[in-house]
CSV table of all heavy atoms in Angstrom, one decimal:
chain,number,residue,atom,x,y,z
A,9,VAL,N,-41.7,2.0,-18.5
A,9,VAL,CA,-41.4,3.4,-18.1
A,9,VAL,C,-40.1,3.9,-18.9
A,9,VAL,O,-39.2,3.3,-18.8
A,9,VAL,CB,-41.1,3.6,-16.6
A,9,VAL,CG1,-40.9,5.1,-16.3
A,9,VAL,CG2,-42.4,3.1,-15.8
A,10,GLY,N,-40.3,4.9,-19.9
A,10,GLY,CA,-39.2,5.4,-20.6
A,10,GLY,C,-39.4,5.0,-22.1
A,10,GLY,O,-39.5,3.8,-22.4
A,11,SER,N,-39.4,6.0,-22.9
A,11,SER,CA,-39.5,5.8,-24.4
A,11,SER,C,-38.2,6.0,-25.1
A,11,SER,O,-38.3,6.3,-26.3
A,11,SER,CB,-40.6,6.7,-25.0
A,11,SER,OG,-40.1,8.0,-24.9
A,12,GLY,N,-37.2,5.8,-24.4
A,12,GLY,CA,-35.8,5.8,-25.1
A,12,GLY,C,-35.6,4.4,-25.8
A,12,GLY,O,-36.7,3.7,-25.8
A,13,ILE,N,-34.5,4.2,-26.4
A,13,ILE,CA,-34.3,3.0,-27.3
A,13,ILE,C,-34.5,1.8,-26.4
A,13,ILE,O,-35.0,0.7,-26.9
A,13,ILE,CB,-33.0,3.1,-28.1
A,13,ILE,CG1,-33.2,2.1,-29.2
A,13,ILE,CG2,-31.8,2.8,-27.2
A,13,ILE,CD1,-34.2,2.3,-30.2
A,14,LEU,N,-34.1,1.8,-25.2
A,14,LEU,CA,-34.2,0.6,-24.4
A,14,LEU,C,-35.6,0.2,-24.1
A,14,LEU,O,-36.0,-1.0,-24.2
A,14,LEU,CB,-33.4,0.8,-23.1
A,14,LEU,CG,-33.1,-0.7,-22.3
A,14,LEU,CD1,-32.4,-1.7,-23.3
A,14,LEU,CD2,-32.1,-0.4,-21.2
A,15,GLY,N,-36.4,1.2,-23.7
A,15,GLY,CA,-37.9,1.0,-23.5
A,15,GLY,C,-38.6,0.6,-24.7
A,15,GLY,O,-39.4,-0.4,-24.7
A,32,ILE,N,-45.0,4.7,-20.8
A,32,ILE,CA,-45.2,5.9,-20.1
A,32,ILE,C,-43.9,6.8,-20.1
A,32,ILE,O,-42.9,6.2,-19.8
A,32,ILE,CB,-45.6,5.8,-18.6
A,32,ILE,CG1,-47.0,4.9,-18.6
A,32,ILE,CG2,-45.9,7.1,-18.0
A,32,ILE,CD1,-47.3,4.5,-17.1
A,33,ASP,N,-44.0,8.1,-20.6
A,33,ASP,CA,-42.8,8.8,-20.5
A,33,ASP,C,-43.2,10.2,-20.0
A,33,ASP,O,-44.2,10.8,-20.3
A,33,ASP,CB,-42.2,9.0,-21.9
A,33,ASP,CG,-40.7,9.4,-21.9
A,33,ASP,OD1,-40.5,10.5,-21.4
A,33,ASP,OD2,-39.9,8.5,-22.1
A,34,ARG,N,-42.2,10.9,-19.4
A,34,ARG,CA,-42.3,12.2,-18.8
A,34,ARG,C,-42.3,13.2,-19.9
A,34,ARG,O,-42.8,14.3,-19.7
A,34,ARG,CB,-41.4,12.6,-17.7
A,34,ARG,CG,-40.0,12.8,-18.3
A,34,ARG,CD,-38.9,12.9,-17.4
A,34,ARG,NE,-39.4,13.4,-16.0
A,34,ARG,CZ,-38.7,13.3,-14.8
A,34,ARG,NH1,-37.6,12.5,-14.8
A,34,ARG,NH2,-39.2,13.7,-13.7
A,35,SER,N,-41.8,13.0,-21.0
A,35,SER,CA,-41.5,13.9,-22.1
A,35,SER,C,-42.7,13.7,-23.1
A,35,SER,O,-43.5,12.7,-23.0
A,35,SER,CB,-40.4,13.6,-22.9
A,35,SER,OG,-39.2,13.6,-22.0
A,40,GLY,N,-34.4,11.9,-25.0
A,40,GLY,CA,-33.2,11.6,-24.1
A,40,GLY,C,-32.0,11.2,-24.8
A,40,GLY,O,-31.8,11.6,-26.0
A,41,SER,N,-31.2,10.4,-24.2
A,41,SER,CA,-29.8,9.9,-24.8
A,41,SER,C,-30.0,9.4,-26.3
A,41,SER,O,-29.2,9.5,-27.1
A,41,SER,CB,-29.2,8.8,-24.0
A,41,SER,OG,-29.2,9.2,-22.6
A,42,SER,N,-31.2,8.7,-26.5
A,42,SER,CA,-31.5,8.0,-27.7
A,42,SER,C,-31.6,8.9,-28.9
A,42,SER,O,-31.4,8.3,-30.1
A,42,SER,CB,-32.7,7.1,-27.6
A,42,SER,OG,-32.5,6.2,-26.4
A,44,GLN,N,-29.7,11.8,-28.9
A,44,GLN,CA,-28.5,12.7,-28.9
A,44,GLN,C,-27.2,12.1,-29.4
A,44,GLN,O,-26.2,12.8,-29.3
A,44,GLN,CB,-28.3,13.0,-27.4
A,44,GLN,CG,-29.5,13.7,-26.8
A,44,GLN,CD,-29.3,13.8,-25.2
A,44,GLN,OE1,-28.4,13.4,-24.8
A,44,GLN,NE2,-30.4,14.1,-24.6
A,45,ASN,N,-27.2,10.8,-29.9
A,45,ASN,CA,-26.0,10.1,-30.2
A,45,ASN,C,-25.7,10.1,-31.6
A,45,ASN,O,-26.2,10.7,-32.4
A,45,ASN,CB,-26.1,8.8,-29.4
A,45,ASN,CG,-27.3,8.0,-30.1
A,45,ASN,OD1,-27.4,7.6,-31.2
A,45,ASN,ND2,-28.3,7.6,-29.1
A,46,PHE,N,-24.8,9.2,-31.9
A,46,PHE,CA,-24.2,9.0,-33.3
A,46,PHE,C,-25.1,8.0,-34.2
A,46,PHE,O,-24.8,7.8,-35.4
A,46,PHE,CB,-22.8,8.4,-33.3
A,46,PHE,CG,-21.7,9.3,-32.8
A,46,PHE,CD1,-21.2,9.2,-31.5
A,46,PHE,CD2,-21.2,10.1,-33.6
A,46,PHE,CE1,-20.3,10.1,-31.0
A,46,PHE,CE2,-20.2,11.1,-33.2
A,46,PHE,CZ,-19.8,11.0,-31.9
A,48,HIS,N,-24.7,5.0,-34.0
A,48,HIS,CA,-23.7,4.0,-34.5
A,48,HIS,C,-23.9,2.8,-33.6
A,48,HIS,O,-23.7,2.8,-32.4
A,48,HIS,CB,-22.3,4.6,-34.2
A,48,HIS,CG,-21.2,3.7,-34.8
A,48,HIS,ND1,-20.3,3.2,-33.9
A,48,HIS,CD2,-21.0,3.2,-36.0
A,48,HIS,CE1,-19.5,2.4,-34.7
A,48,HIS,NE2,-19.8,2.5,-35.9
A,165,THR,N,-46.1,12.5,-18.6
A,165,THR,CA,-46.6,11.9,-17.4
A,165,THR,C,-45.3,11.3,-16.7
A,165,THR,O,-44.7,10.4,-17.1
A,165,THR,CB,-47.6,10.8,-17.6
A,165,THR,OG1,-48.7,11.3,-18.3
A,165,THR,CG2,-48.1,10.1,-16.3
A,166,THR,N,-45.0,11.9,-15.5
A,166,THR,CA,-43.8,11.5,-14.7
A,166,THR,C,-44.2,10.4,-13.8
A,166,THR,O,-45.1,10.5,-13.0
A,166,THR,CB,-43.3,12.7,-13.9
A,166,THR,OG1,-42.9,13.8,-15.0
A,166,THR,CG2,-42.1,12.3,-13.1
A,167,VAL,N,-43.4,9.4,-13.9
A,167,VAL,CA,-43.6,8.2,-12.9
A,167,VAL,C,-42.8,8.6,-11.6
A,167,VAL,O,-41.7,8.9,-11.7
A,167,VAL,CB,-43.0,6.9,-13.5
A,167,VAL,CG1,-43.0,5.8,-12.5
A,167,VAL,CG2,-43.9,6.6,-14.7
A,190,CYS,N,-37.1,1.8,-17.7
A,190,CYS,CA,-35.9,2.1,-18.4
A,190,CYS,C,-35.8,3.7,-18.4
A,190,CYS,O,-35.9,4.4,-19.5
A,190,CYS,CB,-36.0,1.7,-19.9
A,190,CYS,SG,-36.4,0.0,-20.0
A,191,PRO,N,-35.4,4.3,-17.4
A,191,PRO,CA,-35.3,5.8,-17.3
A,191,PRO,C,-34.0,6.4,-17.7
A,191,PRO,O,-33.9,7.6,-17.6
A,191,PRO,CB,-35.6,6.0,-15.8
A,191,PRO,CG,-35.0,4.9,-15.2
A,191,PRO,CD,-34.9,3.7,-16.1
A,192,GLY,N,-33.1,5.6,-18.2
A,192,GLY,CA,-31.8,6.2,-18.6
A,192,GLY,C,-31.1,7.0,-17.5
A,192,GLY,O,-31.2,6.5,-16.3
A,194,GLN,N,-32.0,9.4,-15.8
A,194,GLN,CA,-32.9,9.8,-14.7
A,194,GLN,C,-33.2,8.7,-13.6
A,194,GLN,O,-34.0,9.0,-12.8
A,194,GLN,CB,-34.2,10.4,-15.3
A,194,GLN,CG,-33.8,11.6,-16.2
A,194,GLN,CD,-34.9,12.1,-17.0
A,194,GLN,OE1,-35.9,12.6,-16.6
A,194,GLN,NE2,-34.9,11.7,-18.4
A,198,LEU,N,-35.7,8.3,-9.8
A,198,LEU,CA,-36.8,7.3,-9.6
A,198,LEU,C,-36.4,6.1,-8.7
A,198,LEU,O,-37.2,5.6,-7.8
A,198,LEU,CB,-37.1,6.7,-11.1
A,198,LEU,CG,-38.4,5.9,-11.2
A,198,LEU,CD1,-39.6,6.6,-10.5
A,198,LEU,CD2,-38.8,5.6,-12.6
A,213,LEU,N,-21.2,14.7,-23.1
A,213,LEU,CA,-20.5,14.5,-24.3
A,213,LEU,C,-20.7,15.7,-25.2
A,213,LEU,O,-21.8,16.1,-25.6
A,213,LEU,CB,-20.7,13.3,-25.1
A,213,LEU,CG,-20.7,12.0,-24.2
A,213,LEU,CD1,-22.0,11.8,-23.6
A,213,LEU,CD2,-20.4,10.9,-25.2
A,215,MET,N,-20.8,17.4,-28.7
A,215,MET,CA,-21.3,17.0,-30.1
A,215,MET,C,-21.5,18.1,-31.0
A,215,MET,O,-21.9,19.2,-30.6
A,215,MET,CB,-22.5,16.2,-30.0
A,215,MET,CG,-22.5,14.9,-29.1
A,215,MET,SD,-21.6,13.5,-30.0
A,215,MET,CE,-22.6,13.1,-31.3
A,282,ASP,N,-16.6,12.5,-29.8
A,282,ASP,CA,-17.1,13.2,-28.6
A,282,ASP,C,-16.1,13.2,-27.5
A,282,ASP,O,-15.1,12.5,-27.5
A,282,ASP,CB,-18.5,12.5,-28.2
A,282,ASP,CG,-18.3,11.0,-27.9
A,282,ASP,OD1,-17.1,10.5,-27.7
A,282,ASP,OD2,-19.2,10.3,-28.0
A,323,GLY,N,-24.6,16.0,-25.2
A,323,GLY,CA,-25.3,14.8,-25.1
A,323,GLY,C,-25.1,14.3,-23.5
A,323,GLY,O,-24.2,14.6,-22.9
A,324,ARG,N,-26.1,13.5,-23.1
A,324,ARG,CA,-26.0,13.0,-21.7
A,324,ARG,C,-26.3,11.4,-21.8
A,324,ARG,O,-27.3,11.0,-22.5
A,324,ARG,CB,-27.0,13.6,-20.9
A,324,ARG,CG,-26.4,14.9,-20.5
A,324,ARG,CD,-27.4,15.6,-19.6
A,324,ARG,NE,-26.9,16.9,-19.0
A,324,ARG,CZ,-27.5,17.6,-18.2
A,324,ARG,NH1,-28.5,17.2,-17.6
A,324,ARG,NH2,-26.9,18.7,-17.7
A,325,TYR,N,-25.6,10.6,-21.1
A,325,TYR,CA,-26.0,9.3,-20.9
A,325,TYR,C,-25.8,8.8,-19.4
A,325,TYR,O,-24.9,9.5,-18.8
A,325,TYR,CB,-25.5,8.2,-21.9
A,325,TYR,CG,-24.0,8.1,-22.1
A,325,TYR,CD1,-23.4,7.3,-21.1
A,325,TYR,CD2,-23.3,8.4,-23.2
A,325,TYR,CE1,-22.0,7.1,-21.1
A,325,TYR,CE2,-22.0,8.2,-23.3
A,325,TYR,CZ,-21.3,7.4,-22.3
A,325,TYR,OH,-20.0,7.2,-22.4
A,349,SER,N,-23.4,3.2,-19.8
A,349,SER,CA,-22.2,3.3,-20.7
A,349,SER,C,-22.7,3.7,-22.0
A,349,SER,O,-23.9,3.6,-22.2
A,349,SER,CB,-21.5,1.9,-20.7
A,349,SER,OG,-20.4,2.0,-21.5
A,350,GLY,N,-21.9,4.1,-22.8
A,350,GLY,CA,-22.3,4.7,-24.2
A,350,GLY,C,-22.5,3.6,-25.3
A,350,GLY,O,-22.1,3.8,-26.3
A,351,ILE,N,-23.3,2.6,-24.9
A,351,ILE,CA,-23.4,1.5,-25.8
A,351,ILE,C,-24.9,1.1,-26.0
A,351,ILE,O,-25.2,0.0,-26.5
A,351,ILE,CB,-22.6,0.3,-25.5
A,351,ILE,CG1,-22.8,0.0,-24.0
A,351,ILE,CG2,-21.2,0.7,-25.8
A,351,ILE,CD1,-22.0,-1.2,-23.6
A,352,GLY,N,-25.8,2.0,-25.5
A,352,GLY,CA,-27.2,1.6,-25.4
A,352,GLY,C,-27.9,1.4,-26.8
A,352,GLY,O,-28.8,0.6,-26.9
A,353,MET,N,-27.5,2.3,-27.7
A,353,MET,CA,-28.0,2.1,-29.1
A,353,MET,C,-27.5,0.7,-29.7
A,353,MET,O,-28.3,-0.1,-30.3
A,353,MET,CB,-27.5,3.1,-30.1
A,353,MET,CG,-28.1,4.5,-29.7
A,353,MET,SD,-29.9,4.7,-30.0
A,353,MET,CE,-29.9,5.0,-31.6
A,354,THR,N,-26.3,0.4,-29.5
A,354,THR,CA,-25.7,-0.9,-30.1
A,354,THR,C,-26.5,-2.1,-29.5
A,354,THR,O,-26.8,-3.0,-30.2
A,354,THR,CB,-24.2,-1.0,-29.6
A,354,THR,OG1,-23.5,0.2,-30.2
A,354,THR,CG2,-23.6,-2.2,-30.3
A,394,ARG,N,-18.2,3.0,-25.0
A,394,ARG,CA,-17.7,3.8,-26.0
A,394,ARG,C,-17.8,5.3,-25.7
A,394,ARG,O,-18.5,5.6,-24.8
A,394,ARG,CB,-18.4,3.5,-27.4
A,394,ARG,CG,-19.9,4.0,-27.3
A,394,ARG,CD,-20.3,4.5,-28.5
A,394,ARG,NE,-19.5,5.8,-28.8
A,394,ARG,CZ,-19.7,6.9,-28.1
A,394,ARG,NH1,-20.4,7.0,-27.0
A,394,ARG,NH2,-19.0,8.0,-28.3
B,401,LIG,C1,-23.6,12.0,-27.3
B,401,LIG,C2,-23.9,10.5,-27.2
B,401,LIG,C3,-23.3,9.7,-28.1
B,401,LIG,C4,-23.6,8.3,-28.0
B,401,LIG,N1,-23.2,7.5,-29.0
B,401,LIG,C5,-23.5,6.2,-29.0
B,401,LIG,C6,-23.3,5.3,-30.1
B,401,LIG,O1,-22.6,5.6,-31.0
B,401,LIG,N2,-23.6,4.0,-30.0
B,401,LIG,C7,-24.3,3.5,-28.9
B,401,LIG,O2,-24.6,2.3,-28.9
B,401,LIG,N3,-24.7,4.3,-27.9
B,401,LIG,C8,-24.3,5.6,-27.8
B,401,LIG,N4,-24.8,6.6,-26.9
B,401,LIG,C9,-25.5,5.9,-25.7
B,401,LIG,C10,-26.9,5.7,-26.1
B,401,LIG,O3,-27.5,6.9,-26.6
B,401,LIG,C11,-27.7,5.4,-24.7
B,401,LIG,O4,-27.0,4.3,-24.1
B,401,LIG,C12,-29.2,5.0,-25.0
B,401,LIG,O5,-29.7,5.9,-25.8
B,401,LIG,C13,-29.9,4.9,-23.6
B,401,LIG,O6,-31.2,4.7,-24.0
B,401,LIG,P1,-32.3,4.7,-22.8
B,401,LIG,O7,-33.5,4.2,-23.4
B,401,LIG,O8,-31.8,3.9,-21.6
B,401,LIG,O9,-32.4,6.2,-22.2
B,401,LIG,P2,-33.1,7.5,-22.9
B,401,LIG,O10,-33.0,7.6,-24.4
B,401,LIG,O11,-32.5,8.7,-22.1
B,401,LIG,O12,-34.5,7.3,-22.5
B,401,LIG,C14,-35.0,7.3,-21.2
B,401,LIG,C15,-36.5,7.9,-21.2
B,401,LIG,O13,-37.1,7.7,-19.9
B,401,LIG,C16,-37.9,8.7,-19.6
B,401,LIG,N5,-38.0,9.0,-18.1
B,401,LIG,C17,-37.0,9.1,-17.2
B,401,LIG,N6,-37.4,9.1,-15.9
B,401,LIG,C18,-38.9,9.1,-16.1
B,401,LIG,C19,-39.8,9.1,-15.2
B,401,LIG,N7,-39.7,9.2,-13.8
B,401,LIG,N8,-41.1,9.1,-15.6
B,401,LIG,C20,-41.4,8.9,-16.9
B,401,LIG,N9,-40.5,8.9,-17.8
B,401,LIG,C21,-39.2,8.9,-17.5
B,401,LIG,C22,-37.2,9.9,-20.2
B,401,LIG,O14,-38.0,11.1,-20.5
B,401,LIG,C23,-36.6,9.3,-21.5
B,401,LIG,O15,-37.5,9.4,-22.6
B,401,LIG,C24,-24.4,7.8,-26.9
B,401,LIG,C25,-25.0,8.7,-26.0
B,401,LIG,C26,-24.7,10.1,-26.2
B,401,LIG,C27,-25.4,11.2,-25.4
Side-chain angles (χ1 to χ4, degrees):
V9 180
S11 69
I13 198 59
L14 195 54
I32 303 175
D33 200 293
R34 72 184 335 155
S35 309
S41 308
S42 302
Q44 302 167 7
N45 59 61
F46 290 97
H48 185 239
T165 300
T166 299
V167 171
C190 305
Q194 293 166 78
L198 195 50
L213 308 87
M215 297 285 290
D282 56 23
R324 287 180 172 187
Y325 65 68
S349 179
I351 48 178
M353 290 296 275
T354 304
R394 66 137 300 288

